[in-house]
Each structure stands twice: as structure tokens, then as C-alpha cells.
Amino acid sequence: MRRFELIAPCHFGMEAVLKREITELGYDITEVADGRVTFYGDEEALCRGNIFLRTAERILIKVGSFHAESFEELFQGTRALPWEEYIPENGKFWVTKAASVKSKLFSPSDIQAIMKKAMVERLGEHYGRSWFQEDKESFPVRVFLLKDEVTVGLDSTGESLHKRGYRKLTARAPIAENLAAALILLTPWKGDRILVDPFCGSGTIPIEAAMLAAGMAPGMNRAFTAGSWPHIVSSKRWEDALEEAREAVDLSVETDIQGYDIDEQMVSIARQNAKLAGVDGLIHFQRRDVAELSHPKKYGFLITNPPYGERLQEKEELPALYTCLGERYRALDSWSLYLITAYENAERDIGRRADKNRKIYNGMMKTYFYQFSGPRPPKARKNHAEEAGAKRDNRI
């Protein structure tokens, strides 16, 4: 089976979470850099990475890397890459995105144009032609330049992996699905614990939590660009990975996942999105103001994405909103609070310094993930029969 070096971009600040996910899938990490994790894998890894990874943005096949400080070096380096191993004669190919950091070459449009020209020249020599119809399968290319080191990847995903396919309707400032999943994975929450999102909006955090609890792979209900690349990945590999994903789903799990929002329309949207995701039976959505936040049980989790104050009117309301959240949190016995926000006075208004905080870029916006940890629940005691059995086992 063909072996690749695969690149998985992610939100800045979430590299460790993605690395853990990839390792748990069984693949060897080769590099962790700002905003991406690189690992070795075969055709099966490419399919499973797209279908199972919750926190990645996409899966790229690394075509190659080289040093370039001038456009001539960029051209020659691109031309030297084995494009004919990936792109057939009638394939549609283009550089869909170029990102440059601390490099002499920084104009995305110029980088894209020069690389396209170099690809045409290389493929033209291989196929014996100077012009391409480009009317068949798509082969989008992405390139990163960091300190004049160029890394080139072929995009196997297409539309970003955060597009699970369930969120047809959204709030005005929704959190991306893969970022919501990453935030949950940064907490000790497990599917048998209580989770409440008091600012649920279109329901993304509760839905991602329910998918985790049910073992539902995030990419099992969508298509990928590489699905039409039979010369690189066979249809059997995709079907095997999908069958693995289907077999892992368990919707019979018992959960206590709740989403609240003050806007009745958003609650309705959240319910519709949960139904599209197939987890509506695992979540309870309700119209409720944060001032009414309560729960009779101990050791729960608040995981939420409260308003940041994008509009001036909202900004004026934030101190009272975060103060209220802090008061309701303190009234919850033995709970933990995890929230992502760009609001700079969050800790002050909540009334407590976070035990930890992590800087995360939500798109281009710098945010912080504040972590207020509650106590761990006591371990369940074994009954007398279990204890007697354990003693017998130890004597044997």
C-alpha cells in the first residue's frame, strides 16, 4: 500500500490535541509546528484521518518541500516536484491557498501564479503537451512558506473538515465545529458526565459532545475531494473506513448534555442541527437565561462560548453578563467551568482567576480558553461481591 507524509492543519493553539488524536488513531507523528501536525500514513490513514479526526482542518498529502528566497527558486523547486504521480492528464489543478510567514516571498497571488506555471511545465513535459483541458477531477494545492522553507501539499479534503454537514443554520457568530470539539477534548469531560452550555447558540458544543459520547466520527456523513482519486486512494479504502465509523456509533449511551440560550429561535435551530447530526436524542435544548442556570447534580461541566462583545451595545452588557455567569457558577456545587472568549475582563467579572488559560486563535481573533477546575468526583465503591472476587483473584 502506498505510503504518504500527511499534513493536518488545525487552529493555532490546538496542535497538542490534534497530535493526541492522530496518535490514538495509530499513526507516527513526524512534526508538530504552529497550526499543523505532520504524520506518516498509507491510503487507509488518509481516509481515516478525514473521517475520524475531530480537530483537524483538512488532510494534505505532502508533495514536497524546498528552500526558496526568490521567485526563480520557487519556480524551480515547484517544477522539481513529482506532480505526475498525483495529477492525471485531464485533472484540474491550481494553488488554492498560499500562506507566508517570515519569508522573502510574501505575495499570495504571485506565489500561486508562479507555482501554477511551474506545475504546467512539469506536467507538460510528462504528458507531451503545452495546454491542459482540466475538465476532470479537482486537485487543489496548498502551500506554506515559513522562513523561506516551502511546504507543498495536495488537499485531499476539499471543504474544511469543520463542515460536518449537520449545521445548516447558525448563530451570528458561531464557533467552528472542530474548535468546539477541541475545547471539549481539552477538558476531563467524558460522555457519562454532565455537560451544560448556557450560551449554546446553534448548538455546536452540545452536538460535538454528543457525537463524542456516541463514538460518532465527524466526517462519516460528508464527501471528500480524494474520493474521486481512484489512482491514489481506492474506493474500497473509503468504504472500509466508513464501515469502521458506522460500527463505532452507539446511540444507546446515556447522556446528560444540555444546551440553553435566551433566544427561542436559536434553541429551535440547535434542535434542528442536532437532528441533522443524528444526536437529537442525546441532548436537551431549552430556552433559558444564564441568570436561571442551575442543576441539581454535582460534578458537572459548563463548557461554553459566551458573547465576546463584537458590537458596541453588546460590549456594554458584557460586565453584567460575565458577573451573572460567575454567580451562577459558584452556586453549582463542585462543577467545572470552561469558556472561550476574547473579552479581556472575563476573569475579573466572573470573580475568580482561572486555574489555567490557553491562547487560541479563533480564525484571526485571539481568544483565551479559561479553565476553572472543580473537584473530581469520588470513585464509585465496589460492592461486597466485587471486593470478595478481587481478593480471590489476588490470592490465585
Side-chain angles (χ1 to χ4, degrees), residues 261-269 271 286-288:
D261 201 278
I262 195 172
D263 187 339
E264 185 67 57
Q265 184 180 6
M266 292 315 308
V267 173
S268 176
I269 288 172
R271 289 187 182 123
Q286 181 181 354
R287 184 198 173 280
R288 184 184 290 195

Side-chain angles (χ1 to χ4, degrees), residues 62 71 203 277 328 378:
K62 185 176 178 179
F71 286 121
R328 299 317 306 152

Side-chain angles (χ1 to χ4, degrees), residues 64 96 118 122 156 186 196 204 222 227 235 260 266 276 307 388 396:
T96 182
R122 168 82 183 212
S156 74
L186 278 172
V196 174
T204 307
R222 54 157 290 173
S235 59
Y260 306 147
M266 292 315 308
L276 287 169
I396 294 171

Side-chain angles (χ1 to χ4, degrees), residues 7-19 21-22 32-37 54-59 144 160 178-179 182 360-361 363:
I7 304 169
C10 63
H11 286 272
F12 284 94
M14 291 303 185
E15 298 83 4
V17 183
L18 177 55
K19 178 184 176 182
E21 273 201 283
I22 294 169
V32 178
D34 286 347
R36 66 182 188 268
V37 179
R54 299 180 188 278
T55 62
E57 291 279 351
R58 58 189 67 251
I59 304 296
F144 312 95
S160 172
N178 58 344
L179 179 55
I360 297 167
Y361 280 88

Side-chain angles (χ1 to χ4, degrees), residues 51 219-221 237-247:
I51 292 170
M220 62 184 291
N221 294 313
R237 299 298 175 200
W238 286 108
E239 187 52 44
D240 288 347
L242 282 169
E243 184 61 26
E244 179 188 357
R246 294 187 195 106
E247 290 178 355

Side-chain angles (χ1 to χ4, degrees), residues 5 46-47 54 164 181 199 203 231 260 265 286 305 329 386:
E5 193 168 10
L46 186 147
C47 299
R54 299 180 188 278
R164 320 294 207 208
F199 302 97
H231 62 298
Y260 306 147
Q265 184 180 6
Q286 181 181 354
N305 173 42
Y329 168 55
E386 289 175 327

Side-chain angles (χ1 to χ4, degrees), residues 53-270:
L53 291 177
R54 299 180 188 278
T55 62
E57 291 279 351
R58 58 189 67 251
I59 304 296
L60 310 176
I61 299 173
K62 185 176 178 179
V63 181
S65 58
F66 54 89
H67 186 86
E69 298 183 30
S70 67
F71 286 121
E72 177 62 23
E73 289 176 330
L74 178 67
F75 180 89
Q76 295 300 336
T78 304
R79 187 178 178 278
L81 297 176
W83 293 108
E84 65 279 1
E85 294 181 10
Y86 303 98
I87 303 174
E89 188 170 358
N90 289 326
K92 180 182 179 182
F93 57 97
W94 73 104
V95 181
T96 182
K97 185 173 181 180
S100 179
V101 178
K102 299 178 181 177
S103 297
K104 293 181 177 64
L105 304 178
F106 56 84
S107 168
S109 58
D110 289 335
I111 292 167
Q112 290 168 299
I114 287 166
M115 290 185 68
K116 170 74 176 190
K117 184 178 178 182
M119 293 166 68
V120 169
E121 189 167 305
R122 168 82 183 212
L123 291 170
E125 288 181 2
H126 179 77
Y127 291 116
R129 58 190 305 173
S130 59
W131 179 81
F132 292 90
Q133 186 73 26
E134 296 194 51
D135 58 354
K136 297 295 184 182
E137 295 79 16
S138 294
F139 294 86
V141 173
R142 289 181 172 245
V143 58
F144 312 95
L145 283 78
L146 175 63
K147 297 180 180 178
D148 302 320
E149 294 299 319
V150 184
T151 301
V152 184
L154 191 64
D155 182 8
S156 74
T157 302
E159 199 169 35
S160 172
L161 287 176
H162 83 267
K163 297 290 184 74
R164 320 294 207 208
Y166 67 75
R167 200 167 70 180
K168 304 299 183 184
L169 301 167
T170 67
R172 189 173 55 81
I175 187 170
E177 294 91 324
N178 58 344
L179 179 55
L183 297 181
I184 297 167
L185 291 171
L186 278 172
T187 78
W189 181 82
K190 301 297 180 186
D192 60 349
R193 304 281 297 276
I194 305 162
L195 186 152
V196 174
D197 180 358
F199 302 97
C200 73
S202 53
T204 307
I205 290 175
I207 292 170
E208 290 294 321
M211 290 173 69
L212 270 164
M216 185 180 289
M220 62 184 291
N221 294 313
R222 54 157 290 173
F224 305 97
T225 300
S228 61
W229 299 351
H231 62 298
I232 297 177
V233 190
S234 70
S235 59
K236 186 178 186 308
R237 299 298 175 200
W238 286 108
E239 187 52 44
D240 288 347
L242 282 169
E243 184 61 26
E244 179 188 357
R246 294 187 195 106
E247 290 178 355
V249 177
D250 180 8
L251 292 173
S252 68
V253 294
E254 292 187 9
T255 60
D256 189 346
I257 301 171
Q258 302 182 34
Y260 306 147
D261 201 278
I262 195 172
D263 187 339
E264 185 67 57
Q265 184 180 6
M266 292 315 308
V267 173
S268 176
I269 288 172

